Amino acid sequence: MSGDKEKSTVTSAPPSPSPSSVPPSVEFTKGINGLQKFILRESRGSSAEVYLYGGHVTSWKNDHGEELLFLSSKAIFKPPKAIRGGIPICFPQFAGHGTLDQHGFARNRFWAVDEDPPPFPTNTLNKAFVDLILKPSEEDMKIWPHSFEYRLRVALGTGGDLMLTSRIRNTNSDGKPFTFTFAYHTYFSVSDIRLTKYILALLQRLQLLIMKKRGHLFCAKMVFLMLWCGILGIRKQRLWLILVMMSTSICCV
């Protein structure tokens, strides 16, 4: 992601959320350079941090306080530059697979708190979660002329599991469908390089299972097509993995 080109277009910071929209286990505060963020805490001690800028998860710690995500020491928390590390959201384009800049524009926009998210199909016991929403600005419509609502829930499970749920709705007035690519561009922190071969082997096996079942994997009209994992780099004896969960979708509703 170091070769990304960033444009100067960026929406203004959203207003603070109403107290009723933030669960007791979630803290709304200011992070680096005054950017607004949420801190999610689970009763056993695990936590996660998500910034409104980019809808970007920058930290995920287990109940021992160990950081599970990699965040670059050179990460710039200054719009319109994307945050390097954590879990960037690539939308409506992954990598250079399209006419937009690298990885689309969702990671370079200020998201808002979703005050009235639609219900989930199944009940959830997660008490630490935040619902965010992204809608295109006039400038976004000029470079990608499709109206949408991108809803994101970031949640911590009872055991500290981190869950990201994306729901994308087509809001074109003419109902015309559009195609997009999407990814969670996750950076995992790895303390021992020797462990990576087991992780890679497991993910490669998972990829084969998904490829075999892909005709049956549907979620909110999204077809999961690809799971890719690779070693991004090694610097100063520290290694991090980048895991991309990518889908190509046609959004009709």
Side-chain angles (χ1 to χ4, degrees), residues 30-49:
K30 289 186 177 181
I32 299 175
N33 289 335
L35 293 177
Q36 297 169 323
K37 70 176 181 178
F38 288 93
I39 302 176
L40 284 62
R41 294 187 175 90
E42 195 268 334
S43 59
R44 298 182 183 179
S46 58
S47 66
E49 297 184 7

Side-chain angles (χ1 to χ4, degrees), residues 10 23-24 26 28 65 81 119 215 220 229 239:
V10 62
V26 177
F28 181 70
K81 185 69 176 179
C229 181
L239 178 144

Side-chain angles (χ1 to χ4, degrees), residues 125-179:
L125 298 178
N126 301 323
K127 296 182 179 179
F129 66 87
V130 62
D131 287 302
L132 305 180
I133 186 169
L134 177 68
K135 298 179 182 180
S137 66
E138 292 183 1
E139 293 300 317
D140 294 334
M141 293 290 288
K142 292 178 181 178
I143 60 174
W144 199 70
H146 306 292
S147 183
F148 65 88
E149 291 178 347
Y150 186 142
R151 286 182 161 88
L152 172 69
R153 171 169 287 191
V154 181
L156 273 179
T158 304
D161 295 334
L162 179 65
M163 292 163 283
L164 276 67
T165 305
S166 291
R167 297 184 287 179
I168 302 168
R169 180 187 177 196
N170 183 343
T171 56
N172 280 332
S173 58
D174 58 3
K176 185 178 180 180
F178 57 79
T179 301

Side-chain angles (χ1 to χ4, degrees), residues 1 51 53 56 58 71 75-77 81-85 88 107:
M1 296 174 69
Y51 277 76
Y53 181 61
H56 200 128
T58 57
L71 187 66
I76 300 175
F77 287 74
K81 185 69 176 179
I83 300 171
R84 187 180 185 188
R107 65 194 182 124

Side-chain angles (χ1 to χ4, degrees), residues 45-244:
S46 58
S47 66
E49 297 184 7
V50 54
Y51 277 76
L52 286 181
Y53 181 61
H56 200 128
V57 177
T58 57
S59 175
W60 174 30
K61 295 181 180 179
N62 60 21
D63 54 4
H64 299 292
E66 299 168 331
E67 181 59 64
L68 304 178
L69 297 178
F70 170 82
L71 187 66
S72 174
S73 60
K74 297 181 180 180
I76 300 175
F77 287 74
K78 187 177 181 179
K81 185 69 176 179
I83 300 171
R84 187 180 185 188
I87 308 179
I89 292 178
C90 304
F91 176 86
Q93 175 184 299
F94 173 69
H97 302 298
T99 59
L100 299 175
D101 286 344
Q102 180 92 338
H103 295 322
F105 52 75
R107 65 194 182 124
N108 306 95
R109 300 293 184 266
F110 282 101
W111 293 53
V113 175
D114 194 351
E115 302 281 358
D116 187 26
F120 278 73
T122 56
N123 293 327
T124 175
L125 298 178
N126 301 323
K127 296 182 179 179
F129 66 87
V130 62
D131 287 302
L132 305 180
I133 186 169
L134 177 68
K135 298 179 182 180
S137 66
E138 292 183 1
E139 293 300 317
D140 294 334
M141 293 290 288
K142 292 178 181 178
I143 60 174
W144 199 70
H146 306 292
S147 183
F148 65 88
E149 291 178 347
Y150 186 142
R151 286 182 161 88
L152 172 69
R153 171 169 287 191
V154 181
L156 273 179
T158 304
D161 295 334
L162 179 65
M163 292 163 283
L164 276 67
T165 305
S166 291
R167 297 184 287 179
I168 302 168
R169 180 187 177 196
N170 183 343
T171 56
N172 280 332
S173 58
D174 58 3
K176 185 178 180 180
F178 57 79
T179 301
F180 62 92
T181 51
F182 154 87
Y184 295 134
H185 205 296
T186 309
Y187 291 73
F188 287 109
S189 180
V190 179
S191 59
D192 190 340
I193 190 172
R194 292 170 296 180
L195 299 177
T196 60
K197 64 179 181 179
Y198 302 109
I199 298 173
L200 290 172
L202 176 62
L203 291 172
Q204 288 169 353
R205 179 170 177 78
L206 179 59
Q207 178 181 358
L208 292 176
L209 291 174
I210 290 175
M211 294 297 287
K212 290 179 181 179
K213 298 287 187 179
R214 67 180 183 180
H216 304 285
L217 291 179
F218 292 90
C219 180
K221 295 189 180 295
M222 295 176 62
V223 184
F224 190 85
L225 293 181
M226 175 181 171
L227 177 65
W228 176 86
C229 181
I231 296 177
L232 180 63
I234 305 173
R235 292 181 183 175
K236 297 181 180 179
Q237 303 303 313
R238 187 175 184 185
L239 178 144
W240 63 96
L241 291 179
I242 183 168
L243 173 63
V244 176

